[in-house]
Amino acid sequence: MNIGIRLRLTVMMVLEYAIWGAWSAAGGLYLTSAIRDHGLGLSGAQVGLIFSMLPLATIFAPMLAGQIADRWMNTEWLLALCHVMAGVALIVMGSERHFGPLAALMFFSSIFYAPTLALTNSITFSHLSSSEREFGGIRVGGTIGWILAGWMLTGWRTISGISGNGDVFYLAGVLALVLAVFCLFLPATPPKGEGTDPFAFLKALTLFLDWDFAIFMAISFVVGTELMFYYLLTSPFLGAPRAEHGVGIAANLVPMVMTLAQAAEFTVMLLLPLFLRKWGVRKTLVIGILAWPIRYAIFAFFPYPWLVIPALALHGLCYVFFFVVGYIYVDQVAPADIRASAQALVAVVVLGGSMFVGSIVAGNIQSMFTHSRLVAGKMQQVSDWRTIFLIPCAMTVICALVFPLLFRGSKRRGRMDHGSEGAPQPPVP
């Protein structure tokens, strides 16, 4: 691959995931913190609903965008348009203090941001000669972006002494506008005019006729719901005082501490080609699932900073070995003329349906197990973090047991060749 194209695609990933990381990692703590602490004092159920707007938009928006990119518009132009609209809405959110308008603005922003998660994958795959050798090195830019967003927030909060006031949304909005301009300099990726199925999104649904693909998507749906317990509740859990059975990390340090998860993700991403050659897609996916219940078990039973903070690093295995390898798997089994729509299909099911359900469930679970309690002579809202995190722990244990039994990693349409070692080979052109 041309080094200039590789660099531009990597920077695209940096900015793409910095946008999401800016508001998602510390957004839960900001939205649930009391107004006196520069937060909004929303309930867990309300925060869950706000977080569910992105998954809800992902249910239908990426499929339409995938069709546009496959048929009518250059992908880089479509990305620029989407990021302008999302960025403006996020900036407006920074000054909003009421739940209803916040939820509406988040939904509007998400309609335009959600398709970009699939489109950035499809534009990258369009310029790769080998997805399993090259995609990880580019996608790691997204991990870097998430880390940079966390460090920028911590730096700003440390200097200003304020942990909140909408800074998570202001930063996300500005980053989205920067990426909108940068998208105009991405390699030209026109729609595949010749031989492109006008109903590519319907053709992508036929992938479910393959047993392995159907099992992968079903388990991905369940795992995606449990991912929202991490995105939605980790920052409030880290910031809750020890007296309230939290980890007791200062609010201004929470964004930086959470970037340990992305630092581990960065390392795993760089080593991904080695892992894939050694284990193949099936074994790598299985190992990724096994890391999930371990992390939640530590959160539930050992809420000590010296153990919880290192456990954040398990996110590297959780996310890369399952979701990123999943993107590669889908690229390998999907016919060339519907790859963008196939990636959009994954976004609809995993980033959309499952995370929508997960956001609602996680938010309501927190509300259900949060009660008024006398702490240090004052009545406080205290969450039962052990019970809360035991729920995703149990669900991911089930997934870890079921997936290796049902997913065979078989070939499809001659495009996936596992070879003697079981490692996937480059797709046939």
Side-chain angles (χ1 to χ4, degrees):
M1 174 190 288
N2 180 288
I3 191 169
I5 293 178
R6 183 185 184 92
L7 179 60
R8 280 180 282 168
L9 292 173
T10 302
V11 172
M12 173 194 71
M13 290 293 187
V14 169
L15 293 170
E16 173 72 13
Y17 285 87
I19 297 167
W20 193 359
W23 69 263
S24 179
L29 179 58
Y30 163 63
L31 294 171
T32 57
S33 295
I35 295 175
R36 67 174 183 275
D37 298 323
H38 305 287
L40 299 184
L42 301 182
S43 69
Q46 289 175 318
V47 176
L49 187 59
I50 290 175
F51 268 66
S52 74
M53 293 297 103
L54 177 56
L56 179 62
T58 307
I59 292 175
F60 59 87
M63 192 63 77
L64 175 60
Q67 176 72 351
I68 293 174
D70 279 337
R71 293 287 297 168
W72 299 300
M73 181 182 289
N74 278 33
T75 304
E76 71 275 13
W77 299 348
L78 184 56
L79 280 169
L81 174 63
C82 288
H83 282 113
V84 166
M85 303 301 291
V88 171
L90 285 165
I91 289 174
V92 175
M93 285 183 69
S95 60
E96 183 54 60
R97 297 292 181 266
H98 299 91
F99 165 69
L102 271 172
L105 284 166
M106 177 58 82
F107 181 67
F108 180 85
S109 170
S110 298
I111 287 176
F112 292 97
Y113 179 73
T116 67
L117 295 170
L119 290 173
T120 50
N121 284 338
S122 66
I123 194 174
T124 300
F125 285 127
S126 295
H127 297 276
L128 299 182
S129 56
S130 172
S131 59
E132 63 271 20
R133 288 200 306 267
E134 298 172 338
F135 181 67
I138 293 173
R139 174 56 181 80
V140 76
T143 305
I144 295 172
W146 199 291
I147 293 172
L148 289 176
W151 280 77
M152 282 189 283
L153 278 173
T154 291
W156 151 252
R157 291 178 173 187
T158 301
I159 294 171
S160 67
I162 300 175
S163 300
N165 279 355
D167 54 3
V168 293
F169 297 119
Y170 287 132
L171 176 60
V174 170
L175 290 170
L177 295 180
V178 171
L179 180 52
V181 175
F182 184 78
C183 284
L184 300 178
F185 298 93
L186 290 174
T189 310
K192 302 173 182 63
E194 69 282 355
T196 301
D197 190 338
F199 298 101
F201 65 99
L202 292 178
K203 188 174 180 180
L205 293 176
T206 64
L207 291 170
F208 279 103
L209 297 176
D210 178 75
W211 171 263
D212 280 341
F213 185 85
I215 293 300
F216 167 74
M217 293 297 282
I219 297 297
S220 294
F221 184 93
V222 178
V223 173
T225 64
E226 311 316 301
L227 179 61
M228 293 313 298
F229 279 83
Y230 178 80
Y231 283 156
L232 183 60
L233 301 180
T234 300
S235 63
F237 171 59
L238 294 176
R242 293 287 300 135
E244 299 178 15
H245 308 290
V247 183
I249 297 174
N252 65 306
L253 297 178
V254 167
M256 182 179 68
V257 169
M258 289 192 66
T259 61
L260 177 62
Q262 279 65 50
E265 182 181 318
F266 176 89
T267 303
V268 176
M269 196 84 71
L270 291 179
L271 296 174
L272 184 58
L274 175 63
F275 292 131
L276 284 174
R277 283 196 299 271
K278 182 177 179 61
W279 295 324
V281 168
R282 181 180 181 276
K283 290 182 180 178
T284 305
L285 288 169
V286 170
I287 294 171
I289 295 179
L290 290 172
W292 290 73
I294 296 174
R295 176 178 62 186
Y296 286 129
I298 291 174
F299 284 11
F301 293 107
F302 307 101
Y304 310 113
W306 58 270
L307 190 54
V308 169
I309 293 176
L312 295 175
L314 286 171
H315 184 74
L317 295 179
C318 293
Y319 191 85
V320 177
F321 274 21
F322 193 77
F323 288 112
V324 175
V325 173
Y327 294 143
I328 295 173
Y329 167 71
V330 171
D331 181 67
Q332 291 175 326
V333 300
D337 62 329
I338 60 165
R339 286 179 188 171
S341 292
Q343 291 293 337
L345 177 62
V346 177
V348 168
V349 174
V350 180
L351 299 178
S354 68
M355 291 190 182
F356 173 75
V357 173
S359 297
I360 300 299
V361 171
N364 280 279
I365 289 295
Q366 185 190 18
S367 290
M368 185 183 304
F369 294 101
T370 298
H371 308 284
S372 296
R373 192 176 303 170
L374 190 64
V375 179
K378 297 181 180 179
M379 293 300 296
Q380 303 282 352
Q381 291 293 108
V382 179
S383 297
D384 180 1
W385 294 111
R386 171 172 293 186
T387 302
I388 289 171
F389 285 120
L390 276 177
I391 293 171
C393 180
M395 293 300 296
T396 50
V397 164
I398 295 173
C399 291
L401 293 174
V402 171
F403 184 76
L405 294 176
L406 300 181
F407 184 82
R408 301 165 302 193
S410 58
K411 300 176 184 179
R412 176 182 170 86
R413 300 183 184 178
R415 296 193 63 240
M416 179 179 286
D417 181 8
H418 291 278
S420 60
E421 296 295 327
Q425 303 301 314
V428 178

